[in-house]
Amino acid sequence: MSDKIPFQELTFDKFRELAQSEQLSRHEKVGFPNEYREGKEELIFADVLAKLRSLDGAGKTILEIGPGCSRLPMMLADVCKERGHELHFVDSLEMLAQLPEEECIRKWPGRYPDEVDTLFAQLSGKVDTIIAYSVIQYVFAEGNLWDFLDRTLSLLADGGEILFGDVPNTTMRKRFFSSAAGIRCHREYSGRDELPEVRFNQLEPGLMDDSVVLAILARARAQGFHAWVVPQGEGLPMANRREDILIRKP
Ligand SMILES: C[S@@+](CC[C@H](N)C(=O)[O-])C[C@H]1O[C@@H](n2cnc3c(N)ncnc32)[C@H](O)[C@@H]1O
């Protein structure tokens, strides 16, 4: 694993610095060691597409929160171009500067949701698809996840969908590494005949767990939206400890 970045300590501001680095790969700029993402972007994008029926059709309004600067947002831009969708990206100015200018793309620089009031004024109730892939863990750790959720729900058009993808869930991770498959996986990865470290009943500030994932579903459902936890596709790099949340406005 690369030692260039403290992957555990990433924040919105830290990502701004990473985005400007000339030493880092596109994977590292968005906080992933190369081996987690290299050659996997097509698989990840196919998994995202398969989950979102609201991307079908033509002339839709799409928003990606925290697109970063890997190839994933450009794959989304290609689909939007093909289908005549309007695509909105919101991320830091530094991250957005890494993405090309395209006619179908509108960039909103700033920290979502606090720094993009005009986006809310223009798009409330009008967005068909919202994607935040590998993003809400940072909002959980340094922002207000409930405000983020409620305000994101307020953007959806009828039938619209939100995918909070690639959500790291520390209790899911513990379940996996306590299982025979998880122990085997750890031994193959580390090359050592040892058990993975799994600790229960301890404080874990800043880490999302089952209680948070399930509370997101409960809150969305209580406010009139369907919401599900869905597994990641088998071949995805962190499918054994991350999952996706799909929300749909009926
Ligand atoms: C782990 S990267 C994921 C990037 C991309 N979605 C992907 O999966 O390749 C997290 C991204 O979310 C952005 N981000 C984090 N908090 C954000 C916020 N509150 N508003 C907008 N973007 C945010 C970061 O700048 C970064 O680009």
Side-chain angles (χ1 to χ4, degrees), residues 62-68 70-78 80 86-92 95-96 99-100 102 104-110 112 116 119 123 131:
I62 317 298
L63 168 67
E64 181 162 13
I65 304 164
S70 76
R71 287 188 48 234
L72 293 176
M74 294 326 299
M75 292 179 190
L76 180 63
D78 288 344
C80 289
E86 175 182 296
L87 176 58
H88 299 261
F89 284 145
V90 54
D91 206 317
S92 65
M95 204 53 97
L96 292 178
L99 296 174
E102 300 258 356
C104 69
I105 298 176
R106 164 107 195 245
K107 295 181 180 179
W108 299 87
Y112 177 96
V116 285
L119 179 153
L123 297 183
I131 299 171

Side-chain angles (χ1 to χ4, degrees), residues 12 15 30 37 66-68 70 91 95 111-112 133-135 138:
F12 182 77
F15 278 116
V30 293
R37 280 289 182 97
S70 76
D91 206 317
M95 204 53 97
R111 189 192 294 255
Y112 177 96
Y133 201 84
S134 211
V135 173
Y138 302 105

Side-chain angles (χ1 to χ4, degrees), residues 184-238:
R184 214 167 34 245
C185 168
H186 173 76
R187 287 181 172 158
E188 276 164 20
Y189 182 79
S190 67
R192 289 194 295 272
D193 187 19
E194 62 181 22
L195 292 176
E197 187 176 310
V198 179
R199 295 174 62 199
F200 294 91
N201 300 334
Q202 58 173 351
L203 289 172
E204 294 183 311
L207 294 186
M208 295 183 67
D209 66 357
D210 279 342
S211 72
V212 181
V213 169
L214 298 176
I216 291 173
L217 301 194
R219 187 164 179 87
R221 288 177 176 198
Q223 298 188 101
F225 298 79
H226 297 313
W228 305 272
V229 183
V230 281
Q232 296 197 330
E234 272 297 307
L236 265 58
M238 286 186 266

Side-chain angles (χ1 to χ4, degrees), residues 34-46:
N34 289 324
E35 64 267 29
Y36 280 30
R37 280 289 182 97
E38 193 61 42
K40 305 280 187 192
E41 288 164 308
E42 280 76 12
L43 273 180
I44 295 172
F45 188 65

Side-chain angles (χ1 to χ4, degrees), residues 106-211:
R106 164 107 195 245
K107 295 181 180 179
W108 299 87
R111 189 192 294 255
Y112 177 96
D114 305 337
E115 297 176 357
V116 285
D117 288 348
T118 321
L119 179 153
F120 283 94
Q122 288 189 16
L123 297 183
S124 283
K126 296 187 181 148
V127 186
D128 298 293
T129 309
I130 301 176
I131 299 171
Y133 201 84
S134 211
V135 173
I136 64 169
Q137 61 268 38
Y138 302 105
V139 179
F140 176 73
E142 63 171 347
N144 178 338
L145 182 64
W146 307 117
D147 183 53
F148 180 97
L149 173 64
D150 293 349
R151 296 191 70 190
T152 306
L153 292 172
S154 78
L155 291 174
L156 283 185
D158 287 347
E161 295 176 315
I162 300 173
L163 185 73
F164 292 140
D166 206 34
V167 176
N169 176 341
T170 184
T171 22
M172 181 182 184
R173 186 180 191 285
K174 287 175 195 178
R175 276 193 295 279
F176 177 65
F177 283 116
S178 307
S179 71
I183 293 168
R184 214 167 34 245
C185 168
H186 173 76
R187 287 181 172 158
E188 276 164 20
Y189 182 79
S190 67
R192 289 194 295 272
D193 187 19
E194 62 181 22
L195 292 176
E197 187 176 310
V198 179
R199 295 174 62 199
F200 294 91
N201 300 334
Q202 58 173 351
L203 289 172
E204 294 183 311
L207 294 186
M208 295 183 67
D209 66 357
D210 279 342
S211 72

